[in-house]
Every structure is written in structure tokens, then in C-alpha cells.
Amino acid sequence: MTGKLPTIIITGASGFVGRAMLDELKADYHIFAIARRSQQESKAPVHPNIAWMRADIGEYQSIADVFREIATAGGADYLLHLAAFYEFAALDHPEYVRTNVEGTRHVLELAGSLKLKRFIFVSSVAACSFPKKGGKLNESSKTDGRHKYSWSKNQGEKMVRSCANKIPSCIVRLGAVYSDWCEYPPLYVFLNTWLSSSLKSNILAGKGESSVPYIHIRNLVSFFRQVLQQHEKLKPAEVLIASPSGSTTHKALFARATRYFFGKTKKPILMPRLLCGIGLSLQYFWGWVTGNLPFECPWMYHYIDLQLNINSSYTCSKLGWSPDLRYDVERRLPFLIERLKSEPFAWHARNVAAMTKVSTRPHVAIYETIADMEEEIVEALIELVKAPEGNELYPNYEKMDTLELRWTIKLIYRLLLTSIDNDNRMLILNYLEISVRSRFEAGFSGDEIIRLMTRLNLLIKERLRKLEKFRQFDREIYDTVSTPIEFGIDEVEYQYHLFQKPDLWKQSKEQATTPLSAKTAREQLEETIWNCLVQRK
């Protein structure tokens, strides 16, 4: 990347906070946005300053390839490490180790060569144990929470501190992040219950004193901007808290929410802790039997009436930052509820998406595996074409010089890879729309083009299905591999249908804008890859 703008790497760019940071920084920074999902799938901002790079930080080679590209493009000034896994079910999920621990280790190791001005590791106040009654957490509090997520963040913070003499860094512990659409799963479940007509709508656990600190996404993005601007003031691996001081109880949220939604404050039914524990266990057992597990889990019983109070005064003083009071959660609840009233479908869709965690991304694994087997697949297809029966099945391809045939096949192969990487299944179709004409003029039949593409599809699928990790992903393989190729085959059939009708063929030929018949397959491949890289950067 060129220009005077500073450069920042953002991992976890497809997440709730990541997308907000892209939107906040896109005009002022060059951004390498790293995510497992595509930019389109995650509905992330699109901007000339954003380079979207798909990778899985839990897979070393995947993230190493991306960091190699970043280094080649001039490196970066800052790295905001948001990528992390969290699941409210509190199971001992392997992603806590693979993504949160090993993924952070990979990112730190690779970041060491970039000479960053600041590595910002994002942790959470929820990684700490709840303070004793009347106490408050601050920047020096230990990450000693009982949840496996707490452990994983503790490990991440330890790694950051161990690298502090090599990589200028800081640690940011977040409060519960929400937006005007809610998008914080526990708060969504609370509001969805309290504002309903269900039998549970008036029930609050314990004395209703359970509390956590909330920070609005707009306050959070202003916080991170201040960290970037004030980073030189920070000590090595200094801990900061991105949260207002204090916390907000369920009782306060319930009163504010019901008053705005119903026009009057509903009186809560306070359920004793013991009965809550029994109810949570029975509810969860029934969900397990029916295959529809509830959000509320038995482990939540232990946190009834505990308060995660925060004292973030040191951070605010250090950065010269304070949260805008307009975005205090109690003051903001009417805006959340108004969104629910006016756009209920979008409200629920956003929040269901926020609650859905996908621990593995088959599309990314498929992309990386197909990329690794490129030479093997290409050579196997060349062998088929050049075999004795190839003259009958692929007569014009068989006559090609082997080098030209290799680049012809590689062109389709790279287009398939790019279609997976960009989540754009139309790339092969778009290419064939303008290139099939040159094949027709050279004497190729539609059938032999279709046979070649069909065989390519079968070779890739056969090899993927032999691998244990893809045996449960037939649908994903079809979606990522077969669908783009089938779109291309459909385009070949359509174009040859036109060619068989002189009037339509003449009209189609007159409308052609790219004389691909004069280009070699290698030239087409180089041009296609270059265009894809330009679009990606």
C-alpha cells in the first residue's frame, strides 16, 4: 500500500466490533482486514482503503501467508487483535485453545517481524473473577475467572507480556459491547423475555442485582481511536479497561425496558437462587432431550446477584478519554426498544446472527486444501486429456502444446480459487461469457469444454472426500466447488446455443468488447489474477 496514511491490521474483522472498527477507521487508515468469513458474507464495509484477507488464525500456514502478503505490501503500524471465540454454553470447546490461545500465539509470532508501533490485544473484564461485595475491578485485577474463556484470555495476556520487550503492546479489557440493535446475546435474551407475554416475562433471578458493565459500540470505537492516537503514552503491555465505571443491574434494565415498552414499569417477580438453580437445570435438561438447548445454562446459577463492578478511572485519565453519557445503557434502552418496535425482523435477524457462533469455517479449509492440491489436480487433468482416449473426448485440447494446456487449466482453477476466496460464484461464468467465443472460432465444441470442466469438478471433489475432515461437508463442497463450475457450464451451453443461430451469433459477436482470441491462456491467467489482486487490495 502507498500513501501517507498509517496502516493497521485488524483480526476478527468480520465480527461485530471488527466491522465497527473498519467503518470508523476506513477514511484515516489503510486497513488489512483479516477474517475467516468473506467481506460479503459478513456485511463488512467496503472501501478503497480496506484490503480484505481471508485466513484462520488457528491455522498457522493460513495466517502466515497473509502476514507474508502484508510484509510485501509494506508492513503495518498497528495491529488490533480482535479475533476470538466465545460460547455462552460454557462447554470446554476446543476453539478456546485453537483460536484464542494458539491463534494469538501465531499472530504474535508473525507480528514480531513487522516492527509495529503498537500491538493491541483485546481481552475482557469477564475474564476476571467477580469482585467481593462492594469491590471493583480495575486494570490490575487478575484474569482468574472460572470460565474456559477467562482462562484463554489469561493465556493470551501472558503471551503479550512475554513479548513486551520485542513488540510494543497493550491489553484492552472490554465491557459488554452492545449497539442500538442490541447485538449482545445476554441482553437480547433478557429483552426478548421481559417484553414478551411468556410466563417468565416478569421473573428476575435472585434479587435482580446481577450486573455487568455495558459499553456502547460508538463509545468503544472512540476508545480504540484514542488508544491509537495516545499509544506512545502507554507502558509495555499496559492494561486498559474499555468500559464506563460501575455496572448496571438486571433490576434497573428491567424497570427501564418495561416502562418504555409498555408505558409503565412492571413489577418483577424475584425468584430465590435455589429455585433458579433447579429451574435452570430442568430447563436445560428438557432442551437436551428435545435437541433445542436454551440460552440459559446451569452454570449461570453461580453468578446470580454477583456484580462485575468496574473502576476505569485510571484508563480514562491515561488516555484523556471518557465514555459519552448519551450512550449509557439505561439511557440508550429506549433506542434499542424503538428499533425492536419499528423493525422487528431486522432486530431479531441481527441478534440471532450475533448469537450464532461457527467454530469452523469449512469454506476456508476447502479453499486452502484446493490451493495446496493445484499442481496435483492440474497434472492429473493434463494426463487425462493427453491419454489415448483424449483425442475423442477432448480433441482440440489434446492438440494443444502441453505448456499452453497447463495454463488453460490453471486459469479455470485459479478462477475457482478466487471465487471461493471472494465468495463470488460468478467469476468463472463471467470469464466464459467473453472467452467461449474464441474457443468456438478455434473449432472447439461445447461438449469438450463442458467435459473438461466436469472432469475438473469431479477430480477436486474426489480428492476432498478422501480427507477425513471433509466427510461431513458435502453441502459446503457443492456450494464452493460445484456451483461455480456449474454456472460456467451453463454459460457454455448458452453461448453455443447462440452460436448455432446465425442472427443471434452475429449480434453477440458485434457486442463483444474483448478480443480474447488473440491472447494466450497464460496471458489471460496473468491478467485475471492481476485484476483479482487489484480488486482485493
Side-chain angles (χ1 to χ4, degrees):
M1 295 219 176
T2 60
K4 297 181 180 180
L5 295 180
T7 301
I8 184 170
I9 302 166
I10 299 179
T11 68
S14 63
F16 171 40
V17 177
R19 297 193 306 272
M21 290 307 301
L22 293 180
D23 205 40
E24 171 71 14
L25 302 179
K26 64 188 179 186
D28 304 316
Y29 290 78
H30 287 308
I31 305 171
F32 290 108
I34 301 175
R36 290 193 288 190
R37 287 185 289 172
S38 71
Q39 198 168 10
Q40 179 182 4
E41 180 188 358
S42 57
K43 297 180 174 59
V46 176
H47 190 274
N49 287 339
I50 298 174
W52 194 266
M53 313 180 86
R54 292 184 73 176
D56 181 349
I57 67 168
E59 297 289 339
Y60 182 80
Q61 195 56 52
S62 173
I63 193 67
D65 290 343
V66 164
F67 269 77
R68 191 176 300 112
E69 284 192 56
I70 292 171
T72 302
D77 300 297
Y78 309 99
L79 194 156
L80 178 58
H81 183 40
L82 292 167
F85 175 82
Y86 187 84
E87 183 176 76
F88 284 93
L91 301 176
D92 189 9
H93 203 291
E95 283 298 304
Y96 287 121
V97 174
R98 198 188 77 88
T99 296
N100 296 7
V101 179
E102 293 304 320
T104 296
R105 193 188 314 280
H106 297 158
V107 173
L108 272 170
E109 178 183 331
L110 294 164
S113 63
L114 295 180
K115 298 182 179 179
L116 297 168
K117 294 179 181 178
R118 191 66 55 174
F119 181 102
I120 305 168
F121 175 71
V122 178
S123 186
S124 171
V125 296
C128 305
S129 292
F130 279 66
K132 293 180 180 179
K133 187 173 183 179
K136 293 186 176 182
L137 298 177
N138 58 29
E139 292 79 4
S140 63
S141 298
K142 296 179 180 179
T143 50
D144 55 356
R146 291 186 289 179
H147 196 288
K148 189 63 178 286
Y149 172 76
S150 305
W151 171 84
S152 71
K153 284 301 180 183
N154 179 31
Q155 296 301 303
E157 291 192 15
K158 284 181 179 179
M159 284 186 278
V160 171
R161 292 190 189 97
S162 70
C163 298
N165 61 331
K166 300 177 182 178
I167 305 173
S169 57
C170 67
I171 297 165
V172 175
R173 295 176 184 168
L174 306 185
V177 187
Y178 74 102
S179 75
D180 283 356
W181 292 94
C182 189
E183 298 180 271
Y184 178 61
L187 183 58
Y188 167 67
V189 172
F190 296 150
L191 293 176
N192 213 30
T193 302
W194 297 339
L195 306 180
S196 72
S197 58
S198 76
L199 296 175
K200 299 191 300 179
S201 63
N202 286 3
I203 295 177
L204 291 182
K207 298 176 182 178
E209 296 297 328
S210 304
S211 70
V212 298
Y214 293 87
I215 181 169
H216 195 283
I217 189 65
R218 293 180 189 172
N219 275 334
L220 183 59
V221 296
S222 73
F223 173 91
F224 278 125
R225 183 179 280 276
Q226 197 68 3
V227 171
L228 293 170
Q229 292 173 354
Q230 303 292 329
H231 74 92
E232 292 181 351
K233 294 183 179 180
L234 303 178
K235 301 173 187 176
E238 184 158 18
V239 176
L240 304 170
I241 293 181
S243 169
S245 289
S247 64
T248 306
T249 66
H250 291 179
K251 186 186 292 184
L253 292 173
F254 178 86
R256 182 70 166 163
T258 56
R259 181 165 68 250
Y260 188 83
F261 190 82
F262 297 108
K264 62 178 182 179
T265 302
K266 294 174 66 177
K267 185 177 180 179
I269 299 172
L270 302 179
M271 182 72 68
R273 290 182 79 249
L274 180 59
L275 291 180
C276 286
I278 295 171
L280 286 172
S281 298
L282 290 174
Q283 180 179 263
Y284 196 81
F285 174 75
W286 180 248
W288 178 77
V289 170
T290 60
N292 186 24
L293 290 175
F295 176 81
E296 298 91 345
C297 301
W299 67 267
M300 295 179 181
Y301 162 80
H302 299 287
Y303 296 92
I304 294 174
D305 287 334
L306 295 185
Q307 298 187 331
L308 197 65
N309 281 319
I310 299 295
N311 178 2
S312 58
S313 58
Y314 173 81
T315 293
C316 293
S317 175
K318 183 81 174 185
L319 296 178
W321 172 86
S322 60
D324 189 331
L325 294 179
R326 291 177 300 169
Y327 299 116
D328 175 80
V329 67
E330 289 187 59
R331 289 180 61 175
R332 210 66 194 170
L333 268 181
F335 293 87
L336 277 71
I337 294 170
E338 192 56 40
R339 293 273 191 186
L340 168 60
K341 286 181 172 181
S342 59
E343 301 179 70
F345 180 80
W347 162 274
H348 289 293
R350 280 176 178 251
N351 283 284
V352 169
M355 293 178 70
T356 304
K357 293 290 183 182
V358 180
S359 60
T360 57
R361 290 281 170 187
H363 291 55
V364 175
I366 290 170
Y367 170 84
E368 292 169 349
T369 305
I370 293 175
D372 289 341
M373 62 174 59
E374 178 179 344
E375 293 303 320
E376 176 190 350
I377 297 290
V378 170
E379 293 305 317
L381 197 51
I382 290 173
E383 187 176 335
L384 284 172
V385 171
K386 294 294 185 180
E389 61 271 22
N391 187 46
E392 179 181 347
L393 298 174
Y394 318 100
N396 289 281
Y397 287 115
E398 195 274 335
K399 293 175 185 176
M400 278 185 172
D401 174 76
T402 300
L403 183 61
E404 189 68 14
L405 176 60
R406 179 175 290 109
W407 281 105
T408 298
I409 296 170
K410 274 181 176 271
L411 173 57
I412 301 296
Y413 202 95
R414 295 289 176 86
L415 282 168
L416 176 62
L417 283 172
T418 307
S419 77
I420 300 171
D421 189 31
N422 293 348
D423 197 26
N424 182 354
R425 292 162 184 78
M426 305 300 286
L427 283 175
I428 295 177
L429 182 154
N430 294 338
Y431 165 73
L432 291 169
E433 183 179 9
I434 57 176
S435 67
V436 166
R437 182 179 294 104
S438 64
R439 295 294 180 213
F440 175 74
E441 292 177 337
F444 285 71
S445 69
D447 286 344
E448 68 176 303
I449 297 174
I450 290 171
R451 285 193 199 102
L452 187 76
M453 295 178 65
T454 300
R455 177 54 62 179
L456 174 63
N457 183 28
L458 290 173
L459 284 172
I460 294 173
K461 289 197 299 182
E462 285 171 0
R463 280 162 173 76
L464 286 176
R465 286 168 177 163
K466 288 179 181 178
L467 301 175
E468 178 70 29
K469 63 181 178 179
F470 293 123
R471 287 181 184 170
Q472 303 300 317
F473 293 137
D474 277 354
R475 184 170 64 89
E476 288 80 4
I477 291 173
Y478 178 80
D479 184 49
T480 55
V481 178
S482 299
T483 298
I485 292 176
E486 287 178 2
F487 282 168
I489 289 172
D490 184 76
E491 182 62 27
V492 172
E493 292 174 342
Y494 172 70
Q495 291 290 337
Y496 270 80
H497 171 71
L498 291 180
F499 301 155
Q500 292 166 6
K501 298 186 177 182
D503 292 341
L504 290 176
W505 159 236
K506 181 179 179 182
Q507 181 181 352
S508 173
K509 189 173 182 180
E510 289 173 352
Q511 292 174 350
T513 58
T514 307
L516 287 180
S517 57
K519 298 180 180 179
T520 66
R522 180 165 186 160
E523 289 171 332
Q524 293 173 38
L525 175 60
E526 290 172 346
E527 180 180 309
T528 300
I529 294 172
W530 172 253
N531 288 335
C532 290
L533 286 172
V534 168
Q535 291 171 8
R536 179 176 179 180
K537 301 296 185 195

